[in-house]
Amino acid sequence: MFANRMFNTVVPVISVLLGLIAGAIIMLGFGYNPIKGYAALLDGAFGNAYFFGETIRQVTPYILTGLAVAFAFRAGLFNIGAEGQVIVGWLAAVWVGTTIEAPMIIHLPIALIVAALAGGLWGFVPGLLKAKLGVHEVIITIMMNYIALYLSNHLIRNVLTDKQDTTDRVAESASLASNWLMELTSYSRLHWGILVALVAAAFMWFLLEKTTTGFELRSVGYNRHASEYAGMKVGKNIILAMVISGGFAGLAGAMEGLGTFGYMPTHAAFTNIGFDGIAVALLGGNAALGTVIAAFLFGILKIGALNMPTGAGVPGELVEIVIALIIFFVASSYIIRWVLLRFKKEGN
Amino acid sequence: MLDVLQSIIPIALFYSAPLIFTALGGVFSERSGVVNIGLEGLMVMGAFVGIVFNLAFADVFGTATPWVSILVAMVVSAIFSVIHAVASVTFRADQVVSGVAINFLALGLGVFLTKQWYGKGQTDMVSQPFYSKNIPLLSDIPIIGPIFFQKVYVTSYIAILAAIVVWFVLYKTSFGLRLRSVGEHPMAADTNGINVYSMRYVAVILSGALGGLGGSVFALTIALNFSQSTIVGQGFMSLAAVIFGKWHPLGAMGAALFFGFAQSLSVIGAGVPFLADVPKIYLTIAPYVLTIFALAGFIGRAEAPKANGQPYIKGSR
């Protein structure tokens, strides 16, 4: 028998391979050379300093939304609302960044904390409804996404600006952008946010694996009723899990607002950073380290895809299909396990 | 007042039709115990196929093109939804995750193929969309005629009829009873000789067909072309309508009509005297806020089918 831990690493790897193979088959089907296609992808992600900087830049919010979804998952909750939490976090960070004047050592942390709090608030509502009334968090978080999208557009147009479609740029003292990093990577939009994301990942690992709070959260995720009999407050843990999850996603929004863009535009549609976080978390097995690795993979795929049309003539949207298929294979891990066990048995 | 109704109601009906179709699909799927977050993706698939078929075959079918297009979209989306059925029924995948994957996949395929076939991010505008019509005889009725039957899309009335048909199928036929029993207590249904797996497959495929219908009707009445941003949230709104309507076909239709009404208010709100002063943002977010209230029990408790979201594993208790 395979050990469970081994399955947890083998299944994502197989899923990624199957996804990439399916992508290659699609390329073949449309008359492209898959080797050239994937070479263009890798070149677009690592080919030069600029591409590399952009890849890391894309990985940054993915780590954070991935952590957001993963954290909720560990407590038995599905946070589809990361998208909305990203948007409110982004807005909150830019709001603090544009309106307050303070030295960097105060301004930047405040902007980050307020962004996390805003995301946390957006997670608090579904958490509260789940804990007190037993309402399914998936539907509430979907609804909260739309409220965040339209509300933030409204606030940008009518409160932060006078009928403009973008806010002002955040003050230097609240910016994560760094000339040194930009020069290092031929003026990509790489910023210090990657450090924030990695610290957040370490924080999640420590909280979940090394503290009593984390133990309770995981316990609630495994078995709600047993946790209750053991004297844990299930409702409190559900709310806490959603708030922390929302906080991670809010920080992801701050990465965009204080780092990548330095301002917030109105959005006609979702940013997809939050939705992609679902894929990242699933592939990462809902663990902190796994999420970081998965975020790198998806960052490479997304940024590399931009080079596929010029490098190999392949529409970059192919990568979206590959990512969707990877999620499918991870979700259907039951069948992958089944096949693996079959092979194992025949081998004996 | 009459003028106001005359301007609001046709637009409300116009916006509701795609939501009604898709929500009915959601009712089928969720009643059988399969959560369908993938409605959005099924609508994307329907919109994509509806537009592409319409563009390709407008010369062949002439004025019948939109009708043939929505039928083709139904069939393709039904086939597409089999993926969700296989993952969530046979492979016992997490149904929410599988639905999310459906959404990613439909959009990825749609946009990839659009680039592939049209060489740009969006398709051309269709030449044969649905047009609004005055319905003969009914539109001549005083007062009611101008409000409900002048300058309306036939698809809106087909949607309302479809809701009644789905209600009849679910509540008045043995097929419907079986479908609902599979979603409430699959083991009991299995013991009574109902094939849980095949019932769930049928339900998911029906939701695919109806979601495709909803998407293609949206595309051929409202959007008129296909791009990445053709379907943005209509599927999720239909899902909200399913829940707001308490998993009942007529309830879902009512909720979809209400959402359509709310959307039409935000579209033409400025022209309506007593709404002109209400900031548009309240009307825009109303459907979502109301759904949250509905779920929180402020507007009657919404109770999901008992086995919704749980894969059925034969022999387990």
Side-chain angles (χ1 to χ4, degrees), chain B residues 53-63 65 127-128:
Chain B
F53 186 87
N54 195 308
L55 284 169
F57 290 96
D59 298 336
V60 182
F61 294 105
T63 48
T65 314
S127 57
Q128 291 283 0

Side-chain angles (χ1 to χ4, degrees), chain B residues 186-311:
Chain B
M187 196 162 57
D190 197 8
T191 318
N192 279 306
I194 300 169
N195 189 333
V196 177
Y197 299 126
S198 62
M199 280 314 279
R200 287 188 169 178
Y201 264 86
V202 170
V204 173
I205 291 168
L206 280 172
S207 82
L210 284 163
L213 181 59
S216 57
V217 165
F218 181 89
L220 293 173
T221 56
I222 300 174
L224 306 185
N225 74 348
F226 180 84
S227 73
Q228 184 152 22
S229 54
T230 299
I231 302 288
V232 275
Q234 286 81 1
F236 286 121
M237 216 196 268
S238 309
L239 185 68
V242 173
I243 293 156
F244 200 28
K246 297 179 185 171
W247 289 271
H248 190 287
L250 298 181
M253 177 191 75
L257 281 172
F258 172 76
F259 290 166
F261 177 68
Q263 272 190 326
S264 67
L265 286 183
S266 64
V267 172
I268 58 163
V272 181
F274 59 91
L275 284 173
D277 298 332
V278 180
K280 204 178 154 192
I281 178 72
Y282 292 119
L283 299 172
T284 317
I285 64 174
Y288 312 108
V289 175
L290 284 167
T291 306
I292 293 181
F293 282 162
L295 280 169
F298 297 132
I299 315 175
R301 192 102 177 86
E303 201 77 54
K306 282 237 165 43
N308 206 9
Q310 291 158 10

Side-chain angles (χ1 to χ4, degrees), chain A residues 102-127:
Chain A
M104 189 171 217
I105 195 151
I106 302 169
H107 199 175
L108 182 57
I110 287 185
L112 289 174
I113 289 166
V114 170
L117 286 176
L121 175 71
W122 232 246
F124 174 74
V125 175

Side-chain angles (χ1 to χ4, degrees), chain A residues 30 32 78 133 135 138-139 142-144 146-147 150 154 275-276 282 317-318 321 324 327-328 331-332 334-335, chain B residues 37 83 91-93 96-97 101 104-105 108-109 111-113 115-116 233 236 240 243 281 288-289 295-296 301:
Chain A
F30 283 97
Y32 299 116
F78 193 6
L133 297 167
V135 188
V138 165
I139 308 295
I142 289 174
M143 297 301 133
M144 294 294 285
Y146 286 97
I147 297 173
Y150 294 121
H154 172 76
F275 291 128
D276 289 342
L282 282 171
E317 284 75 11
L318 178 83
I321 302 177
I327 307 176
F328 252 116
S332 308
Y334 161 77
I335 206 72
Chain B
I37 300 268
I83 301 174
F91 291 174
R92 300 174 202 167
V96 177
V97 176
F104 275 99
L105 188 59
L109 275 175
V111 179
F112 174 77
L113 291 175
K115 271 270 171 67
Q116 186 68 36
F236 286 121
I243 293 156
I281 178 72
Y288 312 108
V289 175
L295 280 169
R301 192 102 177 86

Side-chain angles (χ1 to χ4, degrees), chain A residues 1 14 20 41 51 76 95 135 167 176 198 213 244 265 326 343:
Chain A
M1 276 301 224
I14 291 182
L20 290 174
L41 188 146
F51 286 151
W95 204 326
V135 188
T167 65
L176 283 166
L198 292 174
T213 316
I244 295 177
I326 293 176
F343 275 121

